[in-house]
Amino acid sequence: MKIAVCIKQVPDSWAEKKMVGGLLDRANVDAVLNDLDEYAVEEALRIAEAHGGNEEGGANTVTVISMGPERATEAVRKALSMGANDAILISDAVLVGADAVVTAEVLANVIVKGEFDIVICGTESTDARMSVVPAMMSEKLGCAQLTFASKVTVDPGAKKVSITRVTEAGVDEVHGEFPCVISVVEKINEPRYPSFKGIMAAKKKTIDIRDFASTGAEFTKSWSAVVDSAPRPPRAGGVVVTDDGSAGQKLVDFLSEKKLI
């Protein structure tokens, strides 16, 4: 099997963020591998290991695919240190500020050229929280989308994938054939911590850095943009109620004013 894992480098969740010119300022904050993408990398490695492994000469390969600035190689290296075989990074100035539609278009074109059997993603990125790229990619690829998987079962011989998806209505069993796009939730596994051996091996692994033109994507103009933004206002002081016998009524009035009752 050829397995692709789509990952993203994002600002550290604990970093103070700000918008500059309608774009998130990424240059002046610490950047990390998107937490939710680590589950996708782990699941890809587990699938490969369960069906012949992905070591050199093994039956499977796990390729990490990302779109971002050259700095994103840091996040890519972490995925490689976990055990992925190689990586592709699409890095081009024309893609700065690309929205989900453009991102899905570019990634889908790279995936088509790579002829991958399975594409695995995290449910969403922690910077945008849109959770739409996996579905958009499957539409562009014309293949099945098996999203929000809490369990994945692969049958390479039959070229079939089954997932379990927990919803508000119950538990769904969804099936699809190769090629397909899967997104996994964070409860699916526990991502491995890169070993020292893995970290050293990652330094020697190949990262294929490509520009936008090489992907063959048709457009770079985003369909959405941030028109305006403002810093979150400082937290206001709370309301202090002195209990002179009417505190209960004042509490009811406050909750009613906030439409909480």
Side-chain angles (χ1 to χ4, degrees):
M1 290 180 292
K2 293 186 67 176
I3 306 172
V5 185
C6 294
I7 69 166
K8 184 179 182 182
Q9 185 186 56
V10 297
D12 191 323
S13 299
W14 298 101
E16 183 177 347
K17 307 172 188 68
K18 62 180 180 178
M19 301 292 289
V20 178
L23 299 175
L24 182 63
D25 179 15
R26 299 176 184 275
N28 297 307
V29 294
D30 292 335
V32 297
L33 170 61
N34 180 44
D35 292 346
L36 300 176
D37 291 342
E38 292 188 29
Y39 298 94
V41 176
E42 176 64 29
E43 193 62 21
L45 295 172
R46 292 191 183 195
I47 292 170
E49 290 163 358
H51 299 283
N54 68 310
E55 298 297 330
E56 187 173 350
N60 314 293
T61 59
V62 175
T63 300
V64 174
I65 303 177
S66 185
M67 189 180 95
E70 287 196 22
R71 181 188 184 189
T73 54
E74 299 166 7
V76 170
R77 290 288 180 197
K78 180 171 182 180
L80 291 174
S81 69
M82 290 174 69
N85 298 86
D86 52 22
I88 300 170
L89 172 64
I90 305 97
S91 184
D92 198 310
V94 301
L95 292 171
V96 173
D99 66 2
V101 177
V102 173
T103 300
E105 167 86 5
V106 172
L107 293 176
N109 277 37
V110 173
I111 290 164
V112 164
K113 291 182 178 180
E115 299 182 335
F116 293 99
D117 299 305
I118 300 173
V119 181
I120 306 180
C121 313
T123 51
E124 62 186 1
S125 61
T126 56
D127 56 350
R129 296 286 185 186
M130 294 188 69
S131 191
V132 296
V133 170
M136 287 182 172
M137 286 196 302
S138 69
E139 172 66 22
K140 293 179 181 296
L141 292 167
C143 67
Q145 58 164 303
L146 309 175
T147 49
F148 301 101
S150 56
K151 180 181 178 182
V152 178
T153 304
V154 178
D155 183 346
K159 296 186 176 181
K160 291 184 178 181
V161 179
S162 300
I163 71 161
T164 299
R165 175 198 291 149
V166 179
T167 69
E168 292 181 356
V171 179
D172 296 337
E173 295 289 339
V174 187
H175 312 277
E177 297 181 351
F178 292 2
C180 61
V181 177
I182 305 168
S183 71
V184 298
V185 299
E186 57 188 304
K187 292 183 180 180
I188 194 168
N189 58 47
E190 185 65 33
R192 68 194 66 188
Y193 190 80
S195 64
F196 178 75
K197 180 181 178 181
I199 293 171
M200 297 305 294
K203 295 180 179 181
K204 300 177 182 179
K205 293 180 180 178
T206 303
I207 300 179
D208 179 5
I209 299 179
R210 304 180 184 180
D211 60 12
F212 171 75
S214 69
T215 68
E218 295 181 357
F219 56 88
T220 59
K221 184 174 177 58
S222 294
W223 288 39
S224 60
V226 176
V227 177
D228 190 21
S229 65
R232 181 172 59 186
R235 192 174 223 180
V239 177
V240 178
V241 176
T242 302
D243 189 2
D244 56 1
S246 62
Q249 184 59 49
K250 290 179 180 179
L251 176 59
V252 171
D253 293 342
F254 175 79
L255 293 175
S256 178
E257 180 187 344
K258 299 299 181 182
K259 298 182 178 180
L260 297 174
I261 58 173

